[in-house]
Amino acid sequence: MKRSVPVSLLALGIDPGSPVARYRQLYEGIRDAILTGRLRPGARLPSTRALAAETRSARNTVIAAFEQLVAEGYLEGRVGAGTRVALTLPESLLHARPVTDPRRAAGPRPALAERGRRLLETWGHRRPTGGPVRPFRTGYPALDAFPTEVWARLMTRRWARVSRQLLAYGDPAGYQPLREAIAAYLREARAVRCDAGQVVVLTSSQQGIEVATRVLLEPGDPVWVEDPGYPGAHDGLAGAGLRLVPVPVDAEGIDIAAVAPEAPAGRLVYVTPSHQYPLGVTMSLRRRLALLDWADRTGAWILEDDYDSEYRYAGPPLAALQGLDQAGRVLYLGTFSKVFSPGLRLAYCVAPPELVDAVVAARFQSDRHPPAVNQAVLADFIGEGHFARHIRRTRALYAERQAALVEAARRLLAGKLEVSPAAAGLHVLGWLPPGVDDRAASRAAAEHGVEAAPLAAFRIRAGGRGGLVLGYAGFTEREIADSVMCLARALEGRGAARSKK
Ligand SMILES: Cc1ncc(COP(=O)(O)O)c(C=O)c1O
């Protein structure tokens, strides 16, 4: 009978202190010996008893490693009755080295598709800001005001009596009671014309943008976007292979009459009418009617992103554009990212009735539906009146925080950054003196520990007056006051003084 190879040939460096399980170390050691040719096909392995003794392992541990290698086809035979390296290992496998670094791979590197390349391009310059959330990062609600206790209570209650229905695959259009709660809220608070059948629950407005493009547009189609506008939308639309046509925004909101006559007709227009992001203006009624009329005449779609309209400080919230739409051209998006927490990942869209099925199909293909229990808890939260209370409470809180920012800016930033109160939302826009480069000012702010996004980062067409976008809702008055002081120092410094070339 063929002799077994000496244990030393296997060169099994078992590390007793390693977090990797011992059976896994044995498995990898033997597999490596096979793949690097130290163990040839047909070679007989030492007995599990000998290997256990040599490596100071329990015999069952060695048996577990052998069984795994037999199951994967590296070894043959019955464990305990003579085990050898499989005779039929493909030659290519024997010469292959375990590849951990793609640069060491023998074959050609996988080429990205055009779509993949486009995605990487946007990812390169828009990687989300990491690190702790600090003033004045945009888009953050007050995470310290998250209704943790109520949420935890509702969550515990749901889990204590969780139904089979909530543990099974759910309706891709969303949990029905949540759809009803959202529809009722939108009809009452936002004058959106809808019933629950038109509401589709999403993980984010970002998903809503993706779903809309998949359902309504072909790659290469022109889409009109606000300029400056929301980078998440610009990137989402460009990433889907659409042609972005920048449309100027003025004090009345997006101005489609200013699109050059030779520009391609938009198949869809993305707008933030209640509170333009980032300029903060509200679209006038005149412009709303003109936009709806244009969409009706040309057969274009309107994607209305109503991301933070719960927060209006002067008077009641404004009615949504969707509520004025007679022709069914508006796809309406809303999110809970601004009202609660962006980490919750819950949002919704309201589709015209004839689009609902296609939207649900696209949504289903993305990820079927958001976690059902979270949807149920949110439905309870809205249904039991906590949602309305939370908005009232945070609206008052944000009004105070905004006032603290505007007041500190008036005292400390005069002549450096012109910050006026905003009627709505979670951020204000500060204008730099003409000629001051906002990217340089933003870099100077970062050096002083303050995040202040340059308006240039929201623009498609370069130029225009520089500004800094300051999110305030997520920060305490103390943090705001301290950060305004740091910003004042930053803007006194060299960075901000560098003018535009
Ligand atoms: C205009 C606008 N829409 C949508 C969002 C994000 O929403 P979601 O987290 O649901 O994608 C943001 C976040 O900053 C935003 O500014």
Side-chain angles (χ1 to χ4, degrees):
M1 194 168 164
K2 209 171 160 188
R3 288 171 64 99
S4 59
V5 298
V7 177
S8 58
L9 186 68
L10 299 180
L12 297 171
I14 301 296
D15 174 6
S18 165
V20 179
R22 189 176 278 256
Y23 111 85
R24 189 77 203 174
Q25 293 188 51
L26 281 164
Y27 157 86
E28 281 172 7
I30 297 170
R31 196 186 60 163
D32 197 50
I34 297 171
L35 290 175
T36 53
R38 272 179 291 131
L39 277 181
R40 307 295 308 163
R44 200 172 129 87
L45 269 88
S47 71
T48 51
R49 198 180 301 279
L51 252 182
E54 193 68 27
T55 59
R56 295 174 197 278
S57 310
R59 191 154 163 250
N60 277 346
T61 307
V62 181
I63 291 176
F66 272 34
E67 281 176 349
Q68 177 84 28
L69 289 158
V70 170
E72 292 180 9
Y74 292 97
L75 299 181
E76 288 173 346
R78 220 157 30 80
V79 176
T83 319
R84 32 179 218 170
V85 177
L87 286 168
T88 51
L89 285 178
E91 196 58 16
S92 57
L93 183 64
L94 292 175
H95 295 303
R97 297 191 60 85
V99 175
T100 46
D101 178 351
R103 279 167 305 190
R104 284 173 49 201
R109 299 199 44 200
L112 287 178
E114 184 53 38
R115 262 184 309 180
R117 269 199 299 277
R118 270 197 309 266
L119 287 171
L120 261 191
E121 253 166 46
T122 57
W123 184 240
H125 63 273
R126 289 238 215 273
R127 215 172 272 262
T129 322
V133 183
R134 54 180 189 168
F136 295 103
R137 191 175 297 176
T138 53
Y140 268 83
L143 301 182
D144 52 329
F146 184 83
T148 314
E149 273 176 33
V150 180
W151 192 266
R153 183 157 50 74
L154 299 181
M155 191 60 107
T156 308
R157 193 177 72 191
R158 271 286 169 187
W159 273 113
R161 302 188 237 130
V162 74
S163 63
R164 283 190 185 194
Q165 188 205 347
L166 282 184
L167 294 177
Y169 285 120
D171 185 341
Y175 179 66
Q176 188 59 23
L178 178 59
R179 298 172 76 197
E180 279 159 22
I182 291 171
Y185 162 71
L186 292 176
R187 281 194 300 263
E188 155 126 15
R190 311 288 311 115
V192 169
R193 285 204 283 207
C194 67
D195 58 40
Q198 290 168 263
V199 175
V200 180
V201 181
L202 307 167
T203 43
S204 59
S205 338
Q206 200 64 37
Q207 184 177 50
I209 293 169
E210 198 229 342
V211 161
T213 62
R214 284 165 71 201
V215 165
L216 301 174
L217 303 168
E218 304 294 346
D221 274 354
V223 287
W224 289 5
V225 293
E226 297 167 333
D227 183 24
Y230 176 45
H234 291 174
D235 291 349
L237 296 165
L242 304 164
R243 260 194 301 160
L244 299 197
V245 179
V247 184
V249 180
D250 63 17
E252 287 190 68
I254 192 171
D255 184 8
I256 55 164
V259 174
E262 66 277 10
R267 297 282 311 120
L268 175 143
V269 56
Y270 166 86
V271 283
T272 50
S274 301
H275 184 227
Q276 203 276 334
Y277 195 79
L279 296 183
V281 297
T282 301
M283 197 176 184
S284 67
L285 181 61
R286 194 169 64 102
R287 289 266 174 92
R288 287 174 191 236
L289 295 174
L291 183 65
L292 289 166
D293 177 58
W294 165 82
D296 191 15
R297 272 187 293 107
T298 63
W301 297 99
I302 298 172
L303 191 55
E304 176 179 20
D305 183 356
D306 206 17
Y307 62 107
D308 70 359
S309 52
E310 288 80 7
Y311 295 108
R312 185 147 197 98
Y313 309 110
L318 299 177
L321 176 69
Q322 193 268 10
L324 296 171
D325 176 24
Q326 308 279 351
R329 308 306 304 175
V330 176
L331 203 78
Y332 174 91
L333 296 178
T335 180
F336 291 99
S337 289
K338 311 289 142 184
V339 193
F340 279 136
S341 106
L344 196 64
R345 306 321 282 145
L346 280 170
Y348 48 86
C349 76
V350 177
E354 67 276 18
L355 287 188
V356 172
D357 277 352
V359 166
V360 173
R363 200 258 161 277
F364 175 80
Q365 279 191 7
S366 296
D367 63 353
R368 209 181 264 255
H369 60 78
V373 175
N374 293 4
Q375 295 188 63
V377 170
L378 183 54
D380 296 344
F381 191 88
I382 299 173
E384 294 173 28
H386 302 296
F387 184 65
R389 212 168 302 132
H390 177 73
I391 292 177
R392 270 202 306 278
R393 206 161 62 82
T394 45
R395 193 183 288 141
L397 179 70
Y398 297 167
E400 284 167 15
R401 290 182 172 183
Q402 191 196 120
L405 171 57
V406 172
E407 197 275 323
R410 204 172 37 75
R411 270 188 302 111
L412 300 167
L413 296 173
K416 301 187 195 89
L417 192 72
E418 202 183 289
V419 179
S420 321
L426 312 180
H427 73 270
V428 290
L429 176 63
W431 291 106
L432 288 159
V436 174
D437 180 352
D438 52 20
R439 287 196 191 269
S442 175
R443 277 195 299 274
E447 281 161 20
H448 285 75
V450 175
E451 286 184 30
L455 190 51
F458 300 78
R459 293 191 192 279
I460 295 179
R461 274 189 291 223
R465 188 171 169 186
L468 297 176
V469 183
L470 308 175
Y472 59 80
F475 311 103
T476 63
E477 290 185 37
R478 164 102 254 152
E479 288 172 318
I480 289 172
D482 290 350
S483 302
V484 169
M485 222 152 3
C486 296
L487 189 56
R489 258 181 257 131
L491 296 183
E492 257 155 33
R494 232 163 22 91
R498 239 178 270 142
S499 3
K500 291 183 176 173
K501 302 227 162 63

